[in-house]
Amino acid sequence: MAFCTLSLLFGDQVTPSVAVRQGQTSERPALEWLKDLGDAGAVERQAAHAWLVRNLGPDHWVALVEAAGSPSYAARRGLARVLADHPRHFSLAARLTALQDPVLAEVGDWALQESALAWNPNLAETSLGVEDFPTAWLAEGGRKDLLEVNPSRPKPGGLSVALGFLNQYGAAPVALVLDPRSDPRRRLVPPVGDQGKPLHGSWDMLLISLVRKHKVTLEVVGWRPKSVDLKEVESIASPGAFIRIKNRGETGSRHGAELLARWVHGATQDSDSLRRITCANALAQVGWPAALTWLGQEWSLGNDGYFEAICIGAAHGHLSPALLDSEGTLRMLQQGGLKVNGAGARAPEPLLLAARALRVFPDVLSDGGSLGDVLLQDWPKDDPRAQWLRYSAFSGRFRAHPGISVQALECVNSQAAPALRRAALAALVSAGGKNVGELKQVASMLSGLDANGVEAWVRDLELLGVCPGSDADFQALREHESFAGRFAFWWFLVGKRAEAAAVVTGLVGTEGSLQSLVFSLEKPLARGRRAEVLSWVESLRQMHPEHGRRLALRLSLTDPAGAFRQLEQILGQSEPDAESLMDLAYLAPMNVVGARARSALIGALAVRPVPAGLGAALEQTQFNLRSSGAFLQAELFEADLRRKAIPASHPLTDRLLNDAWARRPHGNRAPARALLGSQEALAPH
C-alpha cells in the first residue's frame, strides 16, 4: 500500500529499481542500463548488472564501447564484472582487448582476468619459479619411463614434440604449456612417427632435462599449496594450474590471470597469424572453459585459424562444446581432410590434428546423434585421407560402431596404402571383429612403421586371432630382423609354435640376439601381459636354456632362488665374460643378491687387463638402480666407482667421470616398467 502511494505521489518518475519490480525492463535501452553501472545507487547498479548479464549481446556493441570509454572508473569496472560473469560475454571482452584505444582494451582485460580468477582463484598468485617446484607433483620414487623422442630434432620438432609426448603420455599432474613468446617455430604439434633415440626418466626429470638442453626455463602458474603438507591430495588436484615453459631472462613476472588475458589478446590479433595461432594453442592446453567455448564458437563461425587450437585442446581432454554436435563433427572431418598447401608447410598436418581430437569424442554427441553414424555418413570412397581419418576415429574405442566392420575388413584385404590398411585394422579391432579369416599381404602393412607402430599393429592382429595367411608373408616378416623377436612371440600366442621356434633358433648366436628378444617383450610386459610373457620365456628356456635364463633376468622375471643360483655361478668363474658381467648388472638392484653383485662389479675394476664389457655393465648397473628407485644404492655405487677409478688412473676413468654416463642404458634398450610414446600411423600419400 505504501508503495502504491509513493507511485501516485511521484507520478511518472519511476526509478530503475521500481521499474525492475514492475516488469518494465524491456522498455529501457541497453545504454541506460550501462550508465547505471557507475552513477546510480547500489540497488540500481545491482539491477543493471543483473539485466546486462542476462541480455547483453553483440547487438549492443556500440553502446558497450561507449560505456567502456566512460570517465567513471566505477562504471568501467562494473562493465568488466558484467562481461566476466557469463561465458557468453567472453567474445565481447576479447573484442575489447583487441581495440587500439588503451582505455577500452583495459576494460576487456579486466573482464578476462576476473573470468579467469572465477575459474581458478589461484591464478591471482605470483608464479613459482623452478626452485619452488611443488614437491607434491614429483614422480614417485622408482617410476621411470622411456620417452622415444629426440630433443635435438629439427624444428618444428625438438622441444615442442617432446612436450607433446610428455603431455600425452608422461602422467604429469598439470599441462605443460609452451609460451607463445618463445620461438614461434617451436610450435606444439602432435607427436608423429619415430622421433629418434629414447630418453629415460620420470616426467619431471625429462622436463628438467629438456628445459636445460633448449636453454629455456619454467614456472608454475595458478597453484598454491593449501597446507604445509605438500603431499595432500587437495594440493595436487588444482584445476587451472599449469607449467609454463618460457624464454630465459624474461622480465616482468605476471600472475596467471594477467598471463591468460595476454594470450587472449594475442589470439585476437589479425596482424600476426602465427602469434594468433600459438596464443590460441596455449589457451586450449590450459583448459580454460570460457576460452575453449570462445575458440570453438569462432571456429564454427568460419575462423579456421583456431582449428589447430581446438584440436590440441581436445587431444588433452579439453573439448570445446562447438565440436560435440553432429554439425561440428562433420566440419571437423571436412577440415581435417584438407591437404596442407605450400604456404602452410610449417603447420601441423590437419589430418593428424583432427585424428587425435576425434579419438576422444564421446560416442553420443550433444545433440543426441551417434558419433558412429556421423562418421559413416557419406563415406568418402575415393578419398583415402578422409577414409583414414574416419578409421582413426573409430580405433581405440571400447565399443566402436558395428557398421564399420564390413568396410574395414574390405580395406584391410585391399591394395590400399599400408597406413590406410593399418587404420582399418585398428577400427576392425575396436568394432569387435571376430572370425575375419585369413588376411592378405599382411607383411606389406609394415611399411613406414617404427617399433611403437609395429607393437600396436601386432597387438591388433593378436586381438583378432589371425596370423599371416601365406608362406610368403611368413618369410617377409622374418626378414625384418629388428622385429623378428616380437613376431615370434606373436606366432607363439596364436599357436604357430613351429614358426616361432624357427625364428628364435635363427636369432640365437647372432650379435645382439638377446637384446633383440628383450626389446621385443618390454612393451607387452609393460602393458600387463606378464602371464603370456612368462609362458613364452619358459618355452624359450626349454629350447635354449642359456638364452631363456638371461632373458628372464633382463625382464625381471627371475625369482630370488634363481637369482641366487645365477650369482653363485657367475662368482665361480675365474674370468667372467661380457654377458656374465651384464648379468651382474641386472642382479644388482635385487634385494637378496644385489649387494654381492655390486661388490663383484666394483672388484672387477682391479682386474688387468680390463674385462671386456665391464664399462657397459657398470653403466647398465647404475641405470638399473635408478630405474628401480634404489637411489641411495645408486649414489653409493657411483661413489665407490669413482674412488676405485680415479686414484689408479683406471682406463675407464674418463668414461665414468662423464656426468651423462649413468643415464645411458646398454644398447639404447632399457627394461623400463612403463614405456612412453606411441606411433601415430602415417597418413597415406
Side-chain angles (χ1 to χ4, degrees):
M1 183 58 125
F3 171 71
C4 295
T5 304
L6 289 174
S7 300
L8 292 172
L9 288 174
F10 289 99
D12 294 333
Q13 299 177 9
V14 181
T15 64
S17 60
V18 175
V20 172
R21 298 174 189 173
Q22 292 180 342
Q24 299 173 8
T25 58
S26 59
E27 299 178 4
R28 301 190 72 218
L31 184 58
E32 292 187 21
W33 290 106
L34 289 166
K35 290 179 178 179
D36 286 346
L37 291 174
D39 300 333
V43 176
E44 286 79 3
R45 287 199 305 272
Q46 184 177 1
H49 179 94
W51 187 91
L52 290 168
V53 168
R54 291 194 306 269
N55 299 286
L56 192 64
D59 295 341
H60 305 131
W61 174 250
V62 175
L64 179 66
V65 172
E66 182 178 342
S70 170
S72 170
Y73 177 83
R76 296 169 65 231
R77 270 294 184 183
L79 176 57
R81 284 191 291 272
V82 168
L83 296 176
D85 271 4
H86 200 288
R88 184 177 65 250
H89 305 320
F90 192 97
S91 60
L92 297 176
R95 287 177 66 184
L96 281 176
T97 63
L99 298 178
Q100 297 296 324
D101 189 333
V103 175
L104 303 178
E106 186 179 36
V107 175
D109 191 67
W110 288 341
L112 294 173
Q113 292 189 41
E114 289 196 26
S115 175
L117 290 172
W119 170 53
N120 178 13
N122 291 333
L123 290 170
E125 302 294 325
T126 303
S127 301
L128 303 178
V130 64
E131 65 279 359
D132 298 318
F133 199 84
T135 56
W137 291 356
L138 300 181
E140 295 293 333
R143 163 83 188 250
K144 290 293 173 290
D145 300 313
L146 171 64
L147 181 67
E148 299 194 359
V149 61
N150 183 359
S152 61
R153 186 173 179 264
K155 297 177 178 62
L159 178 61
S160 59
V161 172
L163 290 176
F165 268 111
L166 279 177
N167 269 317
Q168 189 171 2
Y169 304 108
V174 291
L176 310 175
V177 181
L178 185 61
D179 190 281
R181 293 183 65 178
S182 60
D183 187 346
R185 291 171 295 177
R186 293 171 171 164
R187 298 179 61 189
L188 185 64
V189 298
V192 180
D194 185 5
Q195 307 298 338
K197 295 180 180 180
L199 299 174
H200 307 268
S202 57
W203 75 269
D204 48 299
M205 292 172 60
L206 290 171
L207 177 61
I208 296 299
S209 299
L210 290 171
V211 164
R212 288 175 178 170
K213 181 174 182 64
H214 289 275
K215 297 180 174 59
V216 292
T217 188
L218 60 84
E219 65 180 7
V220 179
V221 182
W223 182 87
R224 179 179 61 182
K226 294 185 178 181
S227 71
V228 177
D229 183 6
L230 297 183
K231 292 187 177 180
E232 282 192 0
V233 176
E234 293 83 5
S235 66
I236 301 176
S238 179
F242 59 95
I243 296 175
R244 172 191 174 213
I245 292 85
K246 62 177 184 177
N247 292 329
R248 287 182 181 176
E250 183 175 324
T251 58
S253 178
R254 294 178 168 85
H255 60 73
E258 184 180 354
L259 182 67
L260 293 183
R262 188 183 72 191
W263 290 351
V264 174
H265 175 73
T268 59
Q269 296 300 302
D270 295 329
S271 57
D272 187 346
S273 60
L274 185 55
R275 174 165 172 76
R276 183 173 71 248
I277 292 173
T278 54
C279 286
N281 291 353
L283 288 170
Q285 279 185 276
V286 170
W288 185 7
L292 286 168
T293 301
W294 168 65
L295 290 171
Q297 289 172 346
E298 293 293 315
W299 173 73
S300 63
L301 292 174
N303 192 337
D304 293 340
Y306 295 133
F307 173 75
E308 182 179 332
I310 60 174
C311 287
I312 289 177
H316 289 88
H318 310 308
L319 286 165
S320 174
L323 296 174
L324 298 181
D325 58 13
S326 300
E327 183 179 352
T329 304
L330 284 172
R331 191 161 187 266
M332 170 72 72
L333 292 170
Q334 179 183 4
Q335 189 165 354
L338 298 177
K339 293 184 178 180
V340 180
N341 55 30
R346 231 172 43 178
E349 170 65 78
L351 191 68
L352 300 174
L353 286 169
R356 285 194 59 199
L358 287 166
R359 286 173 186 171
V360 299
F361 272 38
D363 292 329
V364 179
L365 301 174
S366 60
D367 58 0
S370 167
L371 176 64
D373 291 340
V374 174
L375 293 174
L376 289 171
Q377 180 179 333
D378 299 327
W379 187 262
K381 296 182 179 179
D382 300 324
D383 189 347
R385 290 171 59 88
Q387 289 183 39
W388 181 90
L389 182 57
R390 284 163 170 77
Y391 283 134
S392 180
F394 277 116
S395 65
R397 295 188 174 274
F398 176 72
R399 186 177 57 187
H401 198 290
I404 193 63
S405 298
V406 176
Q407 288 173 313
L409 182 58
E410 181 181 347
C411 179
V412 169
N413 285 320
S414 70
Q415 299 293 325
L420 180 57
R421 295 174 64 201
R422 291 194 299 267
L425 179 69
L428 183 62
V429 172
S430 296
K434 298 293 182 182
N435 302 320
V436 296
E438 290 187 352
L439 299 183
K440 302 175 182 177
Q441 299 180 346
V442 172
S444 64
M445 281 193 264
L446 273 176
S447 175
L449 284 182
D450 63 0
N452 289 310
V454 169
E455 172 63 28
W457 175 72
V458 171
R459 180 61 176 154
D460 286 340
L461 292 173
E462 288 174 351
L463 290 172
L464 290 174
V466 299
C467 216
S470 65
D471 293 337
D473 263 345
F474 270 114
Q475 185 58 36
L477 290 175
R478 289 184 60 178
E479 292 175 358
H480 291 268
E481 295 182 359
S482 55
F483 305 126
R486 183 64 183 91
F487 295 150
F489 179 50
W490 164 29
W491 298 337
F492 171 80
L493 293 179
V494 296
K496 301 286 186 178
R497 304 205 170 192
E499 290 83 353
V503 172
V504 173
T505 301
L507 283 175
V508 172
T510 62
E511 184 178 358
S513 61
L514 179 61
Q515 201 59 40
S516 175
L517 288 172
V518 171
F519 184 59
S520 70
L521 296 175
E522 283 178 352
K523 286 182 172 63
L525 190 61
R527 287 171 171 81
R529 307 179 66 186
R530 183 181 178 87
E532 295 171 330
V533 172
L534 275 172
S535 177
W536 172 230
V537 171
E538 186 59 34
S539 176
L540 288 178
R541 279 178 176 170
Q542 297 174 9
M543 292 186 290
H544 307 281
E546 193 66 15
H547 246 59
R549 177 185 64 79
R550 284 183 164 148
L551 180 61
L553 177 60
R554 280 153 176 73
L555 293 172
S556 302
L557 299 176
T558 303
D559 57 24
F564 183 81
R565 288 193 297 270
Q566 291 190 42
L567 178 63
E568 292 296 328
Q569 180 182 355
I570 296 171
L571 295 181
Q573 300 175 12
S574 58
E575 295 181 1
D577 58 11
E579 287 296 338
S580 296
L581 291 173
M582 189 60 66
D583 288 344
L584 289 175
Y586 284 91
L587 290 168
M590 296 186 178
N591 293 329
V592 177
V593 298
R596 293 178 64 195
R598 296 193 295 271
S599 177
L601 285 167
I602 292 174
L605 288 168
V607 178
R608 295 293 187 277
V610 178
L614 179 59
L618 292 172
E619 290 179 352
Q620 190 67 43
T621 301
Q622 184 72 338
F623 179 81
N624 290 346
L625 288 171
R626 293 187 180 277
S627 296
S628 62
F631 298 110
L632 177 60
Q633 289 83 349
E635 295 299 331
L636 293 174
F637 181 73
E638 183 174 354
D640 286 341
L641 286 177
R642 292 177 183 274
R643 281 195 295 269
K644 290 286 185 180
I646 295 174
S649 299
H650 196 278
L652 293 178
T653 295
D654 292 339
R655 184 172 187 175
L656 300 183
L657 287 180
N658 184 351
D659 289 338
W661 75 271
R663 301 181 180 88
R664 294 197 303 268
H666 176 61
N668 284 331
R669 301 290 188 243
R673 297 295 183 184
L675 306 181
L676 300 184
S678 176
Q679 164 86 10
E680 295 273 3
L682 300 179
H685 297 289

